[in-house]
Amino acid sequence: MNSFLYNLEYYNLDKFEFTNGKVIEDAKVEYLTGGTPEYDEDGKITNAIVYCHGSGGNYGSIRKLQDLTYPGGPFDRTKFFFISISGLGSPESCSPSTTELFYEFPSYLVEDMVNFQKQFLEEKFNITHLKGVMGNSMGGFVALTWGVMYPDAMDFIITMVSSYKTAGHNYILSKVANEIITSDPNFGVEGYHESLSRTLRLATQVTYSYGYSKEKYRSMNNYELDVAVDDFGDQGLFGDIYDVQFQNKALLEYNIEDQLDKIKADVLIIAINQDQYFPPELDGIPLSKLIKNSQLVIFDSELGHVGTNELIKIEDDLKQFLSKF
């Protein structure tokens, strides 16, 4: 990862209250910072960009920006201060696995993910206004919800391969994954059973099967496809079944379609033509019509949903959008 990123750090909130009233004390936050902070006359950081990762990700997902942080680049590390947070419900931040509450962890919503970040930013950095919030996939849910809940809290929002609601095939994928998980007779039983790892592996294979484009999958022979499916499943071995199940539950509840008019920030919507999770015609284009102060950029990537690893393709568009800030 680029040298502009500093060491990984941890912080603990004295307590965090969920929207359902449940409280977690000593709530852990995993985060990474980088770039160059600028301060106003009151000593507050004025140029912070918060990065929100996708499902199954963590603070390290900010590596998608690494080729664009050079001086003079869109995400110029001499002009912006980056904070990448492992979100609520993700391993190593406050989550079912990290707290060891597992199935007794409080149910949460995307709104809770936002409040978790907001409380952390205020307590740790005394930041009350952000230069921007950006997010990839599920992180886009978080970024847009930031804009809906706290419309005066940022100057811009960037959402990448994301949407304004969980619907259609995305709803089905999350629903089926949770059905697989909760069908394991050892799920929710005291103690951690070996079968849960096998079950999580299967659920991960289902949800990750839309990761690449249809074209990329068709270009692979059956052996390569077998290897890819095995690799998808192996990703699940790095996670925790309760973290995944609780996160899926939160995503199933996500729908801010009728609240998008609350957003005041300038919004850049990035979509990929070959994205199977969030096809532009179903998500990016309708989203751009629902947000009055938005700009839409669509590009091609055989990588499909994970094509945001190729943001260099839209370097000029990013530079033009961010030059205003």
Side-chain angles (χ1 to χ4, degrees):
M1 201 175 290
N2 257 18
S3 58
F4 90 100
L5 293 172
Y6 304 140
N7 292 329
L8 176 63
E9 298 180 71
Y10 296 90
Y11 181 83
N12 286 74
L13 306 174
D14 286 340
K15 68 175 183 177
F16 175 73
E17 183 172 348
F18 295 74
T19 54
N20 59 19
K22 299 291 181 64
V23 173
I24 293 284
E25 296 184 356
D26 204 27
K28 184 179 178 183
V29 186
E30 180 181 62
Y31 70 101
L32 196 70
T33 59
T36 309
E38 295 179 356
Y39 300 87
D40 62 16
E41 58 186 14
D42 296 321
K44 290 187 175 182
I45 295 173
T46 60
N47 64 335
I49 297 176
V50 168
Y51 185 89
C52 311
H53 61 78
S55 56
N58 62 12
Y59 68 90
S61 299
I62 197 174
R63 63 181 177 273
K64 295 178 185 294
L65 310 185
Q66 63 183 357
D67 293 332
L68 301 169
T69 61
Y70 60 89
F75 295 102
D76 189 336
R77 59 181 176 262
T78 68
K79 295 182 178 179
F80 294 118
F81 180 63
F82 302 90
I83 306 172
S84 183
I85 305 166
S86 296
L88 176 70
S90 299
E92 301 309 321
S93 273
C94 181
S95 69
S97 64
T98 305
T99 60
E100 298 186 350
L101 289 172
F102 301 115
Y103 58 89
E104 294 180 344
F105 192 80
S107 292
Y108 61 90
L109 302 171
V110 174
E111 288 89 336
D112 292 302
M113 296 176 173
V114 172
N115 285 330
F116 182 74
Q117 292 185 342
K118 185 175 184 289
Q119 183 177 337
F120 162 70
L121 292 168
E122 291 176 355
E123 285 191 19
K124 171 61 182 175
F125 293 102
N126 193 28
I127 293 176
T128 54
H129 184 88
L130 296 161
K131 183 61 66 177
V133 183
M134 66 181 302
N136 183 74
S137 192
M138 180 191 76
F141 295 4
V142 178
L144 288 171
T145 304
W146 256 102
V148 164
M149 294 178 67
Y150 304 106
D152 296 312
M154 75 292 293
D155 295 335
F156 71 80
I157 295 170
I158 299 177
T159 175
M160 305 184 291
V161 293
S162 192
S163 188
Y164 50 93
K165 62 181 177 180
T166 299
H169 63 287
N170 288 307
Y171 182 89
I172 291 172
L173 283 171
S174 291
K175 182 81 171 177
V176 170
N178 268 8
E179 296 256 347
I180 291 171
I181 288 171
T182 55
S183 70
D184 190 313
N186 291 310
F187 183 83
V189 176
E190 189 172 350
Y192 206 94
H193 296 260
E194 184 180 344
S195 71
L196 294 177
S197 294
R198 295 194 301 271
T199 299
L200 179 56
R201 191 175 192 278
L202 178 59
T204 304
Q205 287 175 321
V206 169
T207 53
Y208 278 36
S209 61
Y210 276 59
Y212 293 138
S213 68
K214 291 181 288 186
E215 293 80 5
K216 182 171 179 61
Y217 283 133
R218 185 56 66 92
S219 71
M220 300 163 69
N221 61 42
N222 286 350
Y223 172 75
E224 291 170 329
L225 289 170
D226 286 340
V227 171
V229 171
D230 284 342
D231 286 344
F232 295 156
D234 289 344
Q235 294 299 313
L237 300 178
F238 295 101
D240 177 88
I241 197 166
Y242 295 102
D243 291 347
V244 172
Q245 197 263 346
F246 274 76
Q247 188 174 90
N248 280 343
K249 281 169 54 181
L251 301 187
L252 286 170
E253 298 290 327
Y254 172 70
N255 186 343
I256 57 171
E257 182 173 4
D258 62 353
Q259 301 179 66
L260 293 170
D261 59 350
K262 297 178 181 178
I263 294 176
K264 295 181 181 179
D266 287 349
V267 180
L268 177 63
I269 301 161
I270 299 172
I272 294 175
N273 281 316
Q274 295 78 12
D275 182 4
Q276 293 197 80
Y277 282 115
F278 301 108
E281 65 273 18
L282 298 180
D283 297 287
I285 294 172
L287 179 60
S288 70
K289 294 177 180 178
L290 290 166
I291 301 178
K292 58 185 177 183
N293 46 338
S294 65
Q295 175 183 337
L296 174 66
V297 175
I298 306 175
F299 69 100
D300 291 310
S301 175
E302 192 180 54
L303 294 178
H305 187 65
V306 296
T308 47
N309 289 324
E310 299 181 322
L311 289 177
I312 194 74
K313 289 183 174 181
I314 56 168
E315 179 177 10
D316 291 341
D317 297 288
L318 288 165
K319 188 176 292 187
Q320 180 183 15
F321 177 78
L322 288 163
S323 66
K324 296 179 289 184
F325 307 102

